[in-house]
Each structure stands twice: as C-alpha cells, then as structure tokens.
Amino acid sequence: MRFAIIGVGGVGGYFGGRLAEAGHEVYLLARGAHLAAIRAEGLRVLSPLGDFTARPAGATDSPAKVGPVDVVLVGVKAWQLPEAAPSLAPLIGPATAVVPLLNGVEAAEIVAGAVGREHTMGGLCRISAALEAPGVIRHVGMEPSVVFGELDNSRTPRAEALLAALAGAGVRASIAADIAVATWEKFMLICAWSGLGAVTRAPIGVWRALPETRALAEQVVAEVAAVARARGVAVPPGAEAATLAFIDGVPPGGLASLQRDLVEGRPSELEAQSGAVVRLGRDAGVPTPASAFIYAALLPQERAARGEG
C-alpha cells in the first residue's frame, strides 16, 4: 500500500517506520533537521521490540511532491491539526482514507472539514514514544497498538486493507465496532493521566496511589464519560472501571506527553484535552468541576509556552 505520514514524531515515526520496514511505499512528511537526517540515514527506531532503520520511499516537506496515496496517517499534535489538515489535499485520491492518530475527540471532524467525510476515518493509538534526536524515534513501555474505523462503523475494503497492512508490519491493530466509543474511551484515560500528571508533576505510580489525587482522577474519568453519553456516544457502563484498571496497570514511572510538554515549556494539548472536556461539557449541560480545575491550573503555563502570558 501507499502511505503518507504527517507528523513523524513518536506516533507517526513509529508506525510509519514499521510500515516502511514491512515493504510498503511510505512517504514521510517532515521538516528541518529531522527531514535532513531521514533523507541521509533513514529513520532509526529504537524499541524494546527490536531496533531497526526504516528506508521510506521518500521524505519531503511537501505533500504535493507525494501525490495521492491509499492512506494518510496523521500523527501531529492536536493543536497542530487545524493548520495541517488543509495541507492534506494533494494526498487525496478517489478512495484515500485519512486516519488521525492523535489525542482528543475532535480530530476526525477537523479532518473531515478539510478533506470530506468520505475520506475520513476515526482513529487512535496507544504508544509511549518520542522523537529523541533528528532521524531517531525511541519507543518505550507498552506494546504499540492502533484502533480505527469508518465514521459510520461500516466494514469497508479499505479498512480491511489497512488492518492487514498494519498486522503484516507487526502492529497490533483492530477495526473498532464503534469508533466514537473507542475514541471517547481513550479520551477518558488520557484526560485523567495527562491532567493529574501535569498538575502534580509526578509519575502515574505516585498520583494514582494517593487517595486525594486518586479521587480527582476518578472524578475526571466520570466527567468525560458523562459528557460522552450526553452527546449521544454509547459509552458502556463499565468503561469508567476499565479505565481506572488500565491506569493501575501502567508502569509506575509513566508520564503523559502533555505532562512532558508542559514541564519542558512546550505548547501542549491542554485545549484538546481538559479544555475540550470543559467546553463540550458546558455545551451538553454537564458539570465538569475536576476538569475545569485542572484546565485552570495549567492554563497560565500553557499560555506562557505559547508566548501569550
């Protein structure tokens, strides 16, 4: 299959690298020193599952130089998506699927607004990986996985083809029975993990064990589930407990990417996570006091990172 990867960081770099290593025609869209390193030496992926160097079919900063592909995997940060989405147009052919793998519950609608719903799938991934140096991605911790699906939950040939491609590349992947439910279930996890981690400046093993911060995390999970259900998403009754069980199973040193970004003074996905819970909750008439506290507590640092404070 012919793939374009937008955002060649931890997410796009890992999954794009695996697909390229498996022999697919993969084009990496990157910039600056990272692009130069990929062109010169390939994309090096360091992983507990085995290190490798991927040799993509091409690496460029221009979608127009790639042309239409079968699948676009989008791995940019949530706050970068509104700018990136309109640039996807040259990559779109008659049956192209664009699959956003970033955090949040609004990515698919942003993509659909730029390229059309007929070219948009919902998607999410679970991975702990980051750009370590130009041309180098480091994967740590959990086994990477991808969940995706058509927006109407139909089982299409292009979804089956993507599933086979990912599985053939050694990636654990599945087509969601209901992609909206799957997306909101991950949102429950990431809002609690990111929010509590960023507010406490502590790894997951610390804040989940303290009764005070554990209770706050439980409240965030409940708020996200309530907002989802109020918006018509059929989140199952046991989703909150399953999310907390997953949190308990994460290695104790785990840090969320939003937490790392804020600690290091970079712009983060705060608006797409806690901010979105507050905004969507207000629109749906659902109180979200724990998420509102986290959002307000982190907003000054977020504004400073963006040069607005």
Side-chain angles (χ1 to χ4, degrees):
M1 293 180 70
R2 184 175 164 91
F3 289 87
I5 312 298
I6 307 293
V8 191
V11 170
Y14 181 86
F15 294 116
R18 287 290 183 194
L19 289 164
E21 185 193 29
H24 292 280
E25 186 180 351
V26 176
Y27 296 87
L28 303 179
L29 279 294
R31 296 177 180 174
H34 191 35
L35 173 59
I38 294 170
R39 283 173 167 169
E41 304 291 340
L43 181 68
R44 184 168 168 77
V45 178
L46 309 177
S47 170
L49 301 177
D51 300 345
F52 64 93
T53 298
R55 304 286 179 179
T60 179
D61 58 3
S62 172
K65 293 181 179 178
V66 176
V69 296
D70 298 310
V71 176
V72 181
L73 296 182
V74 183
V76 300
K77 295 287 189 178
W79 58 270
Q80 297 171 317
L81 184 59
E83 178 183 348
S87 73
L88 302 178
L91 303 171
I92 306 301
T96 301
V98 180
V99 186
L101 297 179
L102 49 152
N103 292 321
V105 292
E106 300 171 295
E109 290 304 318
I110 294 172
V111 169
V115 303
R117 294 184 69 82
E118 71 275 18
H119 294 297
T120 306
M121 288 187 184
L124 60 99
C125 68
R126 292 181 174 86
I127 186 172
S128 181
L131 179 64
E132 182 170 280
V136 181
I137 304 297
R138 181 173 291 278
H139 159 232
V140 297
M142 68 184 74
E143 180 188 2
S145 64
V146 173
V147 179
F148 63 94
E150 300 285 1
L151 297 183
D152 64 359
N153 296 319
S154 59
R155 194 97 178 191
T156 60
R158 68 181 183 180
E160 297 286 1
L162 176 56
L163 180 65
L166 289 167
V171 174
R172 185 159 58 92
S174 62
I175 299 173
D178 187 320
I179 190 59
V181 170
T183 301
W184 276 89
E185 286 178 333
K186 186 197 173 179
F187 198 48
M188 292 164 59
L189 166 68
I190 201 66
C191 287
W193 187 354
S194 295
L196 270 293
V199 164
T200 63
R201 297 296 196 266
I204 194 169
V206 173
W207 60 255
R208 73 187 177 199
L210 291 172
E212 295 82 358
T213 46
R214 173 70 176 218
L216 189 60
E218 291 174 354
Q219 189 173 348
V220 170
V221 169
E223 289 174 1
V224 176
V227 173
R229 292 177 182 126
R231 290 172 58 85
V233 180
V235 174
E240 295 94 325
T243 298
L244 293 168
F246 187 94
I247 286 173
D248 287 334
V250 174
L255 303 174
S257 60
L258 182 150
Q259 178 180 358
R260 291 194 297 266
D261 286 340
L262 283 178
V263 167
E264 295 172 17
R266 296 191 297 265
S268 79
E269 295 181 327
L270 180 64
E271 291 291 344
Q273 294 187 34
S274 297
V277 178
V278 174
R279 172 169 42 80
L280 296 174
R282 182 171 57 244
D283 292 346
V286 176
T288 56
S291 299
F293 162 73
I294 290 170
Y295 177 66
L298 297 175
L299 189 57
Q301 189 169 351
E302 179 70 24
R303 287 175 57 86
R306 295 178 182 276
E308 299 171 355

